[in-house]
Amino acid sequence: EAQVTQNPRYLITVTGKKLTVTCSQNMNHEYMSWYRQDPGLGLRQIYYSMNVEVTDKGDVPEGYKVSRKEKRNFPLILESPSPNQTSLYFCASSLSSPQGSRDTQYFGPGTRLTVL
Amino acid sequence: QKEVEQNSGPLSVPEGAIASLNCTYSDRGSQSFFWYRQYSGKSPELIMSIYSNGDKEDGRFTAQLNKASQYVSLLIRDSQPSDSATYLCAVNINAGNNRKLIWGLGTSLAVNP
């Protein structure tokens, strides 16, 4: 089954404790991205990756890191989480960049993160 | 003016009625338009995409695009309670040397049995 998976689905942590949210897709998609979704602010892109070893900042990259060492995986790293990073996070993938193409984005199930 | 605007709703319609969802955008050069559906606590999923002026139909869903007036709409015919969700409009806009996918905040739809 074609899918995007994320882990963990729910996470409660404390300020400053490094964490990683994993994302994996099995569709051989080149493009992957991370979004956060907050009430009243909608979906905002954090980082995206056009291909292996090619990543770039989205609209709200501060406090986050990513890496793309393999085509299928695109982990999101919070080196020192803060309460303002409490949010619902989605990983998404598409065959190519949705910005310049008509490719559908497929979203993972989401990770609800709470930083105390 | 926001780049992509939607009425937040909630839009409430009776079962079997037509639900009409609207989205306006600021960039006249936009060429790709998407409607995603998001159930509460779930991830967005693509419902329709449209690229040319006019109507595009897929089952009970019709997307309508009017580039001159800079709006795109989604009609849901014979609305069902299972259509109750938030509908997100996404538009490719010009951002300097690149294009960017911008998301509206979504319209909440409630279909009442």
Side-chain angles (χ1 to χ4, degrees):
Chain A
E1 180 192 354
Q3 60 182 350
V4 180
T5 57
Q6 292 178 231
N7 282 293
R9 295 289 313 281
Y10 303 91
L11 180 59
I12 300 174
T13 189
V14 295
T15 298
K17 187 176 181 183
K18 181 179 178 179
L19 66 92
T20 299
V21 184
T22 64
C23 172
S24 184
Q25 51 91 7
N26 62 1
M27 295 170 278
N28 202 36
H29 284 169
E30 291 191 348
Y31 182 91
M32 298 184 74
S33 66
W34 277 101
Y35 292 91
R36 61 178 290 175
Q37 188 174 38
D38 303 286
L41 296 175
L43 272 170
R44 293 180 294 169
Q45 192 177 52
I46 303 170
Y47 268 96
Y48 64 93
S49 170
M50 303 287 276
N51 213 325
V52 176
E53 302 291 2
V54 180
T55 64
D56 207 348
K57 296 177 181 178
D59 297 316
V60 288
E62 293 77 21
Y64 304 95
K65 284 176 57 176
V66 293
S67 68
R68 187 98 180 267
K69 293 184 170 57
E70 305 165 282
K71 198 171 188 177
R72 64 183 295 130
N73 296 324
F74 190 45
L76 179 69
I77 303 157
L78 284 73
E79 294 269 3
S80 183
S82 62
N84 65 12
Q85 293 179 298
T86 293
S87 186
L88 179 59
Y89 291 86
F90 290 106
C91 179
S93 76
S94 57
L95 200 56
S96 61
S97 166
Q99 275 89 308
S101 74
R102 300 178 174 186
D103 292 330
T104 301
Q105 282 200 90
Y106 296 87
F107 285 81
T111 295
R112 190 166 290 282
L113 173 65
T114 300
V115 183
L116 302 174
Chain B
Q1 181 191 4
K2 289 182 183 175
E3 292 166 312
V4 177
E5 288 200 74
Q6 299 180 252
N7 287 329
S8 61
L11 175 66
S12 184
V13 300
E15 183 173 357
I18 296 176
S20 178
L21 305 161
N22 297 312
C23 172
T24 58
Y25 59 94
S26 59
D27 178 19
R28 284 193 171 276
S30 297
Q31 297 178 3
S32 302
F33 309 85
F34 307 89
W35 283 101
Y36 283 76
R37 177 178 63 198
Q38 186 176 23
Y39 293 113
S40 181
K42 303 294 185 183
S43 56
E45 57 178 335
L46 183 69
I47 297 294
M48 294 280 287
S49 56
I50 187 166
Y51 313 106
S52 306
N53 272 333
D55 295 0
K56 178 182 177 183
E57 190 174 316
D58 184 1
R60 295 187 296 112
F61 299 94
T62 299
Q64 300 176 317
L65 176 60
N66 184 324
K67 291 185 178 181
S69 300
Q70 294 174 239
Y71 81 79
V72 55
S73 61
L74 180 69
L75 301 179
I76 307 174
R77 288 183 301 282
D78 188 24
S79 295
Q80 300 297 307
S82 59
D83 295 325
S84 298
T86 295
Y87 290 80
L88 304 173
C89 172
V91 180
N92 274 343
I93 69 159
N94 198 9
N97 294 327
N98 211 343
R99 298 201 71 79
K100 217 172 149 177
L101 191 65
I102 299 296
W103 296 81
L105 296 184
T107 298
S108 174
L109 172 66
V111 181
N112 306 308

